[in-house]
Amino acid sequence: MVASENFSADVIRAQIEAILRTWGMSEDKLILTAEVMVETDLRGIDSHGISMLTQYAQMQNAGQLRLQAEPRIVRQSASTALIDGGAGLGHPAALMGMNLAIEKALAHDVGVVSVFNSHHFGAAGYYATMAAERGLIGVVSSTTRVISVVPTNGVERVLGTNPIAVAVPAGSHPDICLDISTSVVAANKVKVYALQGKELPPGWVIDGQGQPVTDSAQAFRQIFEGREGGLTPVGGDGSDMGGHKGYGLGLIAQILSGTLSGASFSPVRNKTQKPSDPDNIGHFFMALNPAAFRPFDEFQADVEAIVDTLHATKPVREDEPVLIPGEPEWTAREERLAKGIPIPETLKLKVQEIAEAAGAPYLLQSALAHRADPAGRASEKWTRFSAPNDAPHKGLSIG
């Protein structure tokens, strides 16, 4: 097991911002991007926070990222819009897309925004929850740059992990937030296991003969470097445990996020893509107003009753109660605000290499470790980007 050290959200945010700044990202965009990445780490989603700097550095070195890009609206109607992400990192375009969907839903009960020409945007649940914070249902999906998932009955990778997230306001309870990859696990989670030196559970990854791979370093190479084998769909290999359902969900996420927006389909893109060509990732954002269908208070009361009923369900083990999607993340957030975010030594070394190569200060020093966040930016949740009714564009201008 690889040792780790805890750092406050402020230190990690400053480290991310310093690297993005030396890469040439504009100050307003890098602040937005770092905040999304830090919030993701706070929620315990280690695969999509600061660890993503390793992948972003590879993309930056290859010349793929247009970090000065300004996302722009290509076309729109009262309830829909299409955004060109400008080939920058996906976080600013995604914030713009969900804020625009929220604005349209508040005005017209539904808002649907599609994004093309983007890159990795972090955790889909972050953006879905922005809608829930405004009393709306949020739905998000995305394509991915890495072809990592084998289809049912296949051993060649064809799809990405293509996440789907749905968030629902839950009244007195924390927002419900289902955020899943349509593969049995996110590809970046295999990266996290490899960084930590942990063995994979059987069934996450198969090789070119359809056999399970449990060595995390080997599995990482299989996914990112090998020609055959890869992650299995939700449900696992084959159809006995429902793997065909996960495969189908991944396909639909590809169509909603990629085909609808005009973004790329990776197996086709890779035939002609040069190393410096952008990935043209696609995202899908929908905000839906429950008050368009029934009084919001009644809707909220029924959601609360569902949550209460599930919480009251007799568990298999007394120390493992029935939870609602999103609850583990909120629990992790409280704990990490108090104790700090764990950073494995292997990741610290990679971040140090990235910082030194970029000419940025390296801040993950032991002297700065484990200082709990004050009541400040990290504890504000994402309200910086879920704007109040009189300022729907606070997170990122959509004009």
Side-chain angles (χ1 to χ4, degrees):
M1 193 74 166
V2 177
S4 65
E5 195 168 15
N6 286 16
F7 293 87
S8 75
D10 281 343
V11 171
I12 291 176
R13 180 188 299 106
Q15 181 66 85
I16 295 170
E17 289 180 353
I19 290 172
L20 294 179
R21 188 174 293 114
T22 59
W23 285 351
M25 196 173 195
S26 64
E27 196 68 18
D28 60 332
K29 302 299 186 300
L30 72 84
I31 290 173
L32 293 172
T33 300
E35 190 70 16
V36 176
M37 293 172 69
V38 170
E39 180 63 37
T40 301
D41 272 326
L42 281 171
R43 297 189 201 181
I45 309 171
D46 296 325
S47 55
H48 286 61
I50 190 173
S51 71
M52 284 305 303
L53 285 175
T54 58
Q55 187 178 118
Y56 299 160
Q58 293 173 358
M59 297 161 66
Q60 171 70 0
N61 292 338
Q64 286 185 288
L65 296 178
R66 313 292 188 259
L67 291 176
Q68 292 290 338
E70 293 288 340
R72 64 184 182 87
I73 297 172
V74 175
R75 66 179 64 169
Q76 67 175 321
S77 68
S79 58
T80 67
L82 177 67
I83 291 174
D84 180 349
L89 277 176
H91 311 75
L95 288 165
M96 180 179 179
M98 182 47 92
N99 272 323
L100 183 54
I102 289 169
E103 178 188 355
K104 291 179 179 295
L106 291 173
H108 303 288
D109 294 326
V110 63
V112 179
V113 177
S114 195
V115 177
F116 71 100
N117 196 21
S118 185
H119 284 105
H120 188 268
F121 71 173
Y126 181 97
Y127 307 102
T129 311
M130 287 170 58
E133 283 293 296
R134 302 294 300 278
L136 305 170
I137 296 172
V139 181
V140 177
S141 66
S142 180
T143 63
T144 63
R145 71 185 297 261
V146 179
I147 308 170
S148 54
V149 182
V150 298
T152 300
N153 299 333
V155 293
E156 293 181 330
R157 298 187 300 280
V158 179
L159 293 171
T161 54
N162 297 358
I164 296 174
V166 181
V168 181
S172 60
H173 298 291
D175 297 328
I176 298 169
C177 182
L178 174 70
D179 182 0
I180 60 170
S181 63
T182 51
S183 55
V184 71
V185 69
N188 286 317
K189 193 159 188 178
V190 175
K191 175 190 68 180
V192 170
Y193 270 59
L195 287 169
Q196 296 173 347
K198 293 171 61 176
E199 191 168 277
L200 299 184
W204 281 16
V205 177
I206 62 171
D207 62 20
Q209 287 71 49
Q211 298 302 306
V213 179
T214 58
D215 181 280
S216 57
Q218 178 186 343
F220 181 84
R221 292 191 296 270
Q222 190 91 41
I223 294 168
F224 291 93
E225 300 171 13
R227 297 181 61 86
E228 293 185 344
L231 290 168
T232 60
V234 167
D237 181 30
S239 57
D240 289 347
M241 297 299 291
H244 60 294
K245 299 175 184 179
Y247 164 48
L249 285 172
L251 174 60
I252 294 303
Q254 175 69 45
I255 293 170
L256 280 178
S257 308
T259 311
L260 187 66
S261 67
S264 68
F265 180 45
S266 296
V268 175
R269 181 195 70 226
N270 286 357
K271 293 178 181 179
T272 58
Q273 185 183 28
K274 301 180 182 66
S276 60
D277 287 346
D279 289 324
N280 190 12
I281 299 301
H283 315 307
F284 174 87
F285 304 96
M286 181 171 73
L288 183 65
N289 188 1
F293 301 89
R294 58 186 301 207
F296 182 76
D297 290 346
E298 293 180 8
F299 167 80
Q300 200 75 112
D302 282 354
V303 173
E304 289 183 356
I306 292 171
V307 174
D308 289 338
T309 300
L310 289 167
H311 279 165
T313 302
K314 182 179 178 180
V316 174
R317 293 168 48 117
E318 289 300 324
D319 60 342
E320 294 183 0
V322 175
L323 299 177
I324 302 301
E327 285 183 329
E329 287 75 18
W330 305 137
T331 300
R333 190 176 193 279
E334 291 179 5
E335 181 176 324
R336 290 184 173 199
L337 279 173
K339 298 180 179 179
I341 297 166
I343 304 295
E345 289 295 325
T346 47
L347 179 57
K348 284 177 61 180
L349 291 173
K350 289 182 180 293
V351 172
Q352 184 174 8
E353 290 174 7
I354 293 168
E356 290 176 351
Y362 176 63
L363 303 176
L364 301 184
Q365 312 277 2
S366 294
L368 297 177
H370 186 28
R371 294 180 182 175
D373 261 9
R377 284 194 292 175
S379 59
E380 289 174 357
K381 273 181 143 179
W382 45 87
T383 50
R384 289 179 61 194
F385 311 122
S386 299
N389 290 330
D390 61 347
H393 308 163
K394 187 177 180 184
L396 185 64
S397 173
I398 58 177

